[in-house]
Amino acid sequence: MRRGEVDRNKLSPMMKHYVELKDKYEDTIILYRLGDFYEMFFEDAEVVAHALELTLTGKSAGLDEKVPMCGVPFHAADIYIDKLIKKGFKVAICEQLEDPKFAKGIVKRDVIEVISSGTIISTNSLNEKENNYIGCLYDFSYGFVLTYSDITTGEIYSEILENNTDDIVYKLLSLEIKEVITNSSIDKNLLAKIKSQKIPVTISDNVLENDYNNIYQDLSDNRVILSIKMLLYYLSVTQKRNLSHFQKVMIKKKESFLTMDIHTKRNLELTECLRTKERNYSLLWLLDNTKTAMGSRKLKNFIENPLLDVNKINKRYDVVAKLLEEFIISDELRSDLYEVYDLERLCGRISFGSATAKDLLQLKLSLKVLPKIKEKLEKINFYDRIETLDDLYILLEKAIYEEPPNSLKEGFLIKEGYSKELDELKELRRGGKDFISMFESQERQRTGIKGLKVGFNKVFGYYIEVSKSYLPLITEEMGYIRKQTLANCERFITPLLKEKEDLVLSAEDKIINLEYNLFIEIRDKCKNYISKLQEVSKTISEIDVLSSFALVSEKYNYVRPRLSSANEIKIISSRHPVVEKVLTTTEYVPNDIIMDEKTDILLITGPNMAGKSTYMRQLGIIAIMAQIGCFVPAKEATLPVFDKIFTRIGASDDLVSGESTFMIEMMESSRAIKNATKNSLILFDELGRGTATFDGMSLAEAILEYIAKKIKCKTLFSTHYHELTDMEKTLSNLQNKHVSAIEENGNIIFLHKVKDGSVDKSYGINVAKLAGLPDEVIKRATSILKVYESKEKQKDLVIQTTLPLDFEEKTSEIEEEIKALDILNITPIEAITILSKLKEKIK
């Protein structure tokens, strides 16, 4: 049965309200509160019953037949909601807005929140070590603005992106954005690609005016403001979220952070292992010795956004060095940090009005340790200061019980001494309970019934229980009124007992209601401190990360890098930090990475499994570690500050376009050589192997020549095309390197040592033998190889490496001016002025 097929005039009042509500939330599953259950009806019931494997039943709704229905218990709803969100559904929670006992007619109900994959606030559903971003992608035809936020922490970021479909999708994947809102003019091809990545998309052109304008009031770019307003509308109006904890938007500028695409992030295994897609064995896994959830999230943010500002990087180095020097203070600081709860998300829950007494208790315990942390930060000259918020701590210490219940409607929230009215009610309740306790002993004496007990349940209230063996002792004069007969006893009440019961229960209800109201009042007071708590959170998370850097640096013998303005790399005895930690049976072999100002390219040859890829990756990882403020795995390290890192290592997945591996390889190579500058780092591993040998060799040589002649950035390029090593003779800024190996009696021993010069043998058959291929296959391959080598000598094939490097493109002055234009950051008036000047130059 479909909702649109029924005669609404025949529906019961409750069901009529439901269908009217559902009309407003067509694309959302409504959980409709009825007593102790959340119910779903019509199509929602059928969809959810199938998705969650629930029993589909029916409900009388005034029609001739029952409407489809399924339900979940109220107390266990979070489990089912979480499952629905993971399956891509949105869920609207429709609650009872009044107590059914006092309602006239049907109980008032309305949607109080809408939950989707980007707007989850439940701590059970979130990974405390990662942000949960929701993004707004605004298409303004010649470019995009991406605004994204973690609503649980109040962080909000915005950046302008170029009009490149694949790059946009890669950006969303790199940020791990869980949900996207976009305007109706979005490019349909881009929309299809986003949806193909199973990212939920909502199309809307609505913007939020006037509310929360403190978030963007300092901005002047209307495109960015429009994107922020669209996101705020979706969160505030559609999802019914309170955003008072949102911080000022941070505009992400390319000139502030090292640029890496998702392929670089994955190839270098910065936040997840390439093979398992898990956190283990990534750089993040290695460096994460943080003590707080905030620190863990901050570390991930650091790794994904290395700095370009040398002064800021050196500030972080100074703190790490001071923590290593003051190791006793450092240990004490880490112990203090361990006592700090997730202040960022506590602020979010306070703002949403979902914070429990246990949340406020966590806040109090975090505030308690702030003075000790502040004292230690002053001793190590940390560049940010902490406000200890003593008045908030005193309020929570005075008000909140140390062991409060999970619910806010059970009492035991507020300490004695906080409210005079509450204390009087508790004294009244205590007097009633004391009377009932004495009443039991008095009745035993009066009746002579030793087994007499006074009990309580929610159905009958207080009662006198007498076992059947004592029933003959009860007389009419005792005034007992029979209330219930059980198998082995009977229960009675007396007028005096009921009088005291009314007194106790009346006081109990008043206490629960008063405690609830007092708690809400205290929670609202906490809202006034949110901005200060967020500042404290930033300081705590950053010192937590730097403390983790110090611990790792001391544990694994890392050194402070020197950042040089000269275009040179000098890393003595460098190691791959993750591989070094994972190795248990053998000792890691360190290698030098030295590239002076005159050397731009290292061309690396050597057999498979010898360590070429590891050598390349460790340079990329060391560069990133240096630019996030961490010491690096080496004996000595001098590095430039890289503006971009590009990698092509291994057969990475085609994430978006469905192209062949070789096509993706060429696309990534194209992206690198088009966007790299002199200050970039390129890591290309065996480029060109995905096509025919001579095609691949030709492409590899041409790309090397282009980098050497045009870009002149630091590049590591590994290859099995040994003919390419002749390029050292014609390119002065290219050096040959090889990873050494020894062959003994047909067996190969990898030395993992990078040395000068090249090798002319791949040892492929030796590696195959190590891999366990049958001897018969190995012998046959060896004999075939001899035939090929003989033919090669007869042909005397020589690759022409002395061709002129014809990369001197003839470009006009006007063409260069046009290339230099940043169209995303000029106003229409500036564009007209520039166009007019160019037209004059052509004349």
Side-chain angles (χ1 to χ4, degrees):
M1 184 188 297
R2 295 282 180 264
R3 176 169 46 93
E5 300 169 354
V6 303
D7 183 351
R8 296 194 177 190
N9 293 322
K10 294 181 179 180
L11 290 173
S12 64
M14 187 278 291
M15 191 57 69
K16 188 178 288 186
H17 176 256
Y18 169 81
V19 295
E20 289 171 355
L21 200 62
K22 181 63 183 173
D23 290 342
K24 300 176 185 177
Y25 295 92
E26 286 284 353
D27 63 342
T28 305
I29 302 293
I30 295 182
L31 269 62
Y32 198 80
R33 179 74 178 272
L34 291 175
D36 290 334
F37 280 81
Y38 284 120
E39 306 288 6
M40 289 141 280
F41 306 102
F42 294 105
E43 297 93 331
D44 280 5
E46 293 171 349
V47 168
V48 172
H50 180 265
L52 301 184
E53 300 180 1
L54 301 176
T55 301
L56 186 66
T57 60
K59 181 176 179 64
S60 297
L63 303 174
D64 295 335
E65 58 179 304
K66 293 182 177 181
V67 302
M69 180 185 83
C70 72
V72 298
F74 162 73
H75 66 273
D78 284 350
I79 299 169
Y80 297 99
I81 292 170
D82 192 35
K83 289 179 180 178
L84 287 171
I85 299 303
K86 286 178 179 176
K87 289 178 179 286
F89 294 103
K90 294 180 186 176
V91 177
I93 308 297
C94 179
E95 278 290 356
Q96 298 171 172
L97 302 182
E98 58 183 349
D99 192 325
K101 290 185 288 187
F102 305 111
K104 295 180 180 179
I106 65 168
V107 177
K108 288 181 182 178
R109 296 178 177 86
D110 200 359
V111 171
I112 61 164
E113 66 174 329
V114 180
I115 307 170
S116 55
S117 53
T119 60
I120 300 170
I121 60 173
S122 168
T123 52
N124 297 327
S125 307
L126 292 171
N127 183 343
E128 66 170 13
K129 294 189 174 185
E130 294 183 359
N131 286 105
N132 193 70
Y133 288 130
I134 180 170
C136 176
L137 186 65
Y138 191 85
D139 186 342
F140 52 91
S141 73
Y142 59 93
F144 294 84
V145 175
L146 175 62
T147 299
Y148 56 99
S149 172
D150 183 342
I151 72 166
T152 66
T153 65
E155 298 164 280
I156 182 166
Y157 303 90
S158 197
E159 58 184 301
I160 297 175
L161 304 175
E162 293 180 359
N163 196 357
N164 184 304
T165 298
D166 287 351
D167 284 351
I168 296 293
V169 181
Y170 290 143
K171 185 73 178 179
L172 297 177
L173 293 173
S174 181
L175 290 168
E176 299 175 35
I177 286 180
K178 302 297 191 296
E179 183 180 359
V180 169
I181 298 93
T182 186
N183 55 323
S184 57
S185 59
I186 185 79
D187 177 76
K188 298 300 181 283
N189 181 43
L190 173 58
L191 184 62
K193 287 188 175 183
I194 294 173
K195 288 182 175 179
S196 73
Q197 300 303 312
K198 297 183 178 177
I199 301 174
V201 179
T202 299
I203 296 176
S204 170
D205 292 311
N206 295 314
V207 297
L208 188 70
E209 299 290 354
N210 302 322
D211 290 342
Y212 305 118
N213 55 12
N214 60 298
I215 295 170
Y216 54 83
Q217 64 185 6
D218 297 334
L219 303 182
S220 57
D221 192 325
N222 287 326
R223 298 165 302 178
V224 175
I225 293 172
L226 195 58
S227 174
I228 295 169
K229 285 182 174 182
M230 274 186 64
L231 180 60
L232 295 179
Y233 182 92
Y234 180 79
L235 295 174
S236 178
V237 178
T238 308
Q239 305 296 93
K240 296 181 178 289
R241 301 294 187 188
N242 182 308
L243 309 179
S244 58
H245 67 298
F246 264 39
Q247 304 167 46
K248 284 188 176 182
V249 65
M250 178 184 284
I251 304 299
K252 292 194 71 176
K253 297 179 179 178
K254 290 182 180 179
E255 57 267 27
S256 298
F257 304 103
L258 185 151
T259 301
M260 300 179 286
D261 63 15
I262 191 170
H263 301 291
T264 298
K265 179 180 163 183
R266 290 186 173 182
N267 288 333
L268 296 181
E269 300 181 303
L270 298 183
T271 59
E272 66 178 21
C273 176
L274 195 59
R275 182 172 55 85
T276 64
K277 307 298 182 189
E278 293 179 355
R279 188 184 179 103
N280 283 359
Y281 307 119
S282 66
L283 179 63
L284 177 60
W285 165 78
L286 174 77
L287 296 181
D288 193 356
N289 286 272
T290 56
K291 291 295 185 179
T292 68
M294 300 177 292
S296 191
R297 291 195 298 271
K298 178 72 78 175
L299 172 60
K300 189 170 187 281
N301 182 274
F302 273 19
I303 291 173
E304 292 176 335
N305 298 281
L307 297 173
L308 299 183
D309 188 319
V310 175
N311 291 329
K312 289 182 179 178
I313 298 170
N314 275 316
K315 268 188 176 182
R316 292 180 183 176
Y317 290 160
D318 291 342
V319 175
V320 174
K322 190 70 174 177
L323 287 168
L324 287 170
E325 179 185 331
E326 301 284 354
F327 56 89
I328 295 175
I329 293 176
S330 180
D331 284 345
E332 291 174 351
L333 177 61
R334 288 177 60 77
S335 297
D336 293 338
L337 290 171
Y338 186 70
E339 296 179 39
V340 179
Y341 289 85
D342 196 339
L343 291 176
E344 287 180 332
R345 286 186 168 161
L346 283 173
C347 286
R349 292 200 288 280
I350 290 168
S351 175
F352 295 139
S354 62
T356 65
K358 289 189 175 180
D359 288 329
L360 295 196
L361 190 63
Q362 289 183 356
L363 175 58
K364 185 194 82 170
L365 294 172
S366 301
L367 295 174
K368 184 178 181 180
V369 78
L370 289 188
K372 291 194 286 184
I373 293 175
K374 180 181 180 180
E375 180 187 352
K376 293 174 180 66
L377 295 189
E378 289 171 351
K379 287 181 180 177
I380 63 169
N381 299 319
F382 187 60
Y383 43 82
D384 283 334
R385 295 289 174 263
I386 278 184
E387 189 174 348
T388 54
L389 306 177
D390 297 332
D391 50 346
L392 179 57
Y393 173 77
I394 291 168
L395 169 66
L396 297 175
E397 169 64 19
K398 183 180 177 182
I400 305 298
Y401 262 131
E402 265 66 33
E403 296 183 4
N406 293 320
S407 169
L408 300 181
K409 293 293 183 74
E410 296 178 28
F412 301 102
L413 300 174
I414 308 298
K415 286 181 177 179
E416 292 185 14
Y418 179 75
S419 164
K420 183 178 179 181
E421 182 184 358
L422 181 62
D423 290 346
E424 288 174 354
L425 284 170
K426 286 183 177 179
E427 189 60 38
L428 188 63
R429 179 183 63 181
R430 191 179 297 117
K433 287 187 173 181
D434 288 344
F435 167 81
I436 288 168
S437 178
M438 290 187 298
F439 179 79
E440 182 179 84
S441 61
Q442 289 170 355
E443 285 300 295
R444 285 179 181 175
Q445 289 179 357
R446 185 167 77 91
T447 62
I449 302 172
K450 294 181 180 179
L452 182 147
K453 296 177 182 176
V454 174
F456 176 84
N457 65 33
K458 290 185 178 180
V459 178
F460 297 114
Y462 286 99
Y463 55 82
I464 299 166
E465 185 174 286
V466 179
S467 62
K468 288 200 170 179
S469 60
Y470 288 106
L471 287 178
L473 297 178
I474 294 177
T475 63
E476 190 175 335
E477 292 77 23
M478 293 180 185
Y480 279 22
I481 303 169
R482 182 175 280 105
K483 196 68 180 175
Q484 187 181 22
T485 301
L486 301 177
N488 58 354
C489 67
E490 292 204 19
R491 291 174 176 173
F492 303 87
I493 60 171
T494 68
L496 183 59
L497 184 60
K498 294 309 290 181
E499 180 186 333
K500 291 298 181 182
E501 175 192 297
D502 291 341
L503 183 69
V504 170
L505 296 184
S506 173
E508 193 82 49
D509 287 342
K510 288 179 181 177
I511 287 168
I512 288 173
N513 290 331
L514 181 56
E515 286 208 30
Y516 175 79
N517 292 330
L518 289 170
F519 177 80
I520 300 302
E521 184 182 292
I522 293 164
R523 190 169 67 187
D524 288 342
K525 287 181 180 177
C526 291
K527 285 184 181 180
N528 299 326
Y529 292 85
I530 283 179
S531 60
K532 291 182 178 180
L533 286 168
Q534 288 172 333
E535 288 300 316
V536 170
S537 301
K538 288 177 184 176
T539 304
I540 292 287
S541 60
E542 186 152 346
I543 190 60
D544 194 11
V545 172
L546 298 181
S547 171
S548 182
F549 287 170
L551 182 73
V552 171
S553 298
E554 192 275 331
K555 186 175 182 181
Y556 299 117
N557 197 27
Y558 296 169
V559 298
R560 177 173 180 159
R562 186 176 74 86
L563 299 177
S564 170
S565 56
N567 190 24
E568 61 175 334
I569 297 173
K570 184 181 179 183
I571 310 174
I572 306 301
S573 296
S574 71
R575 292 116 54 199
H576 189 298
V578 179
V579 175
E580 178 187 37
K581 181 179 179 182
V582 171
L583 279 179
T584 54
T585 56
T586 57
E587 189 175 340
Y588 190 89
V589 178
N591 279 294
D592 297 344
I593 305 175
I594 299 175
M595 301 175 78
D596 59 24
E597 291 191 71
K598 296 179 181 178
T599 304
D600 294 323
I601 301 172
L602 297 185
L603 183 61
I604 308 164
T605 50
N608 286 320
M609 294 175 60
K612 298 192 300 296
S613 296
T614 301
Y615 182 72
M616 296 170 72
R617 280 191 174 100
Q618 74 193 39
L619 173 57
I621 288 175
I622 286 171
I624 288 165
M625 289 175 69
Q627 288 181 228
I628 65 175
C630 185
F631 288 11
V632 299
K635 285 187 177 177
E636 176 189 335
T638 300
L639 291 149
V641 174
F642 294 108
D643 62 355
K644 302 172 185 177
I645 297 181
F646 299 94
T647 65
R648 175 61 204 179
I649 302 174
S652 65
D653 297 335
D654 170 22
L655 300 169
V656 177
S657 59
E659 303 288 355
S660 68
T661 299
F662 179 69
M663 182 63 175
I664 298 302
E665 185 176 286
M666 290 298 103
M667 287 167 65
E668 290 180 22
S669 304
S670 172
R671 188 180 293 112
I673 63 177
K674 281 181 180 178
N675 295 296
T677 70
K678 183 177 175 62
N679 298 319
S680 300
L681 173 65
I682 294 178
L683 306 173
F684 280 166
D685 188 19
E686 298 184 30
L687 200 65
R689 64 182 174 178
T691 187
T693 302
F694 291 129
D695 283 352
M697 194 187 307
S698 303
L699 283 165
E701 182 171 346
I703 288 170
L704 277 169
E705 288 175 349
Y706 188 89
I707 293 171
K709 186 72 175 178
K710 295 284 289 183
I711 306 173
K712 299 181 181 179
C713 68
K714 298 301 183 190
T715 302
L716 268 58
F717 194 111
S718 73
T719 185
H720 281 295
Y721 300 135
H722 300 115
E723 294 83 355
L724 296 179
T725 57
D726 288 342
M727 296 179 72
E728 188 181 49
K729 300 171 185 175
T730 56
L731 296 175
S732 60
N733 56 348
L734 182 148
Q735 273 188 20
N736 283 324
K737 296 280 183 178
H738 72 277
V739 186
S740 56
I742 299 173
E743 185 180 4
E744 292 180 353
N745 303 321
N747 295 316
I748 188 169
I749 301 171
F750 300 116
L751 302 180
H752 303 293
K753 201 69 183 173
V754 177
K755 298 181 178 179
D756 291 337
S758 61
V759 293
D760 57 2
K761 189 173 181 181
S762 290
Y763 299 100
I765 292 174
N766 306 78
V767 174
K769 185 177 180 182
L770 274 181
L773 256 65
D775 289 343
E776 186 178 347
V777 175
I778 298 297
K779 288 177 183 177
R780 176 62 178 154
T782 303
S783 56
I784 293 170
L785 177 64
K786 288 177 181 176
V787 173
Y788 280 130
E789 287 176 339
S790 175
K791 285 182 179 179
E792 198 72 9
K793 287 175 183 175
Q794 289 171 14
K795 286 182 182 179
D796 193 27
L797 180 64
V798 177
I799 301 299
Q800 177 57 268
T801 59
T802 56
L803 287 171
L805 302 181
D806 190 19
F807 287 122
E808 294 299 326
E809 301 174 13
K810 295 177 181 178
T811 56
S812 67
E813 180 186 347
I814 292 172
E815 191 175 342
E816 289 299 322
E817 283 189 42
I818 292 171
K819 283 183 178 179
L821 285 177
D822 185 357
I823 63 169
L824 296 178
N825 290 302
I826 58 174
T827 66
I829 293 173
E830 289 172 340
I832 292 169
T833 305
I834 293 167
L835 186 61
S836 176
K837 288 180 180 177
L838 292 175
K839 190 174 179 181
E840 288 300 316
K841 285 187 179 181
I842 291 172
K843 286 180 181 179

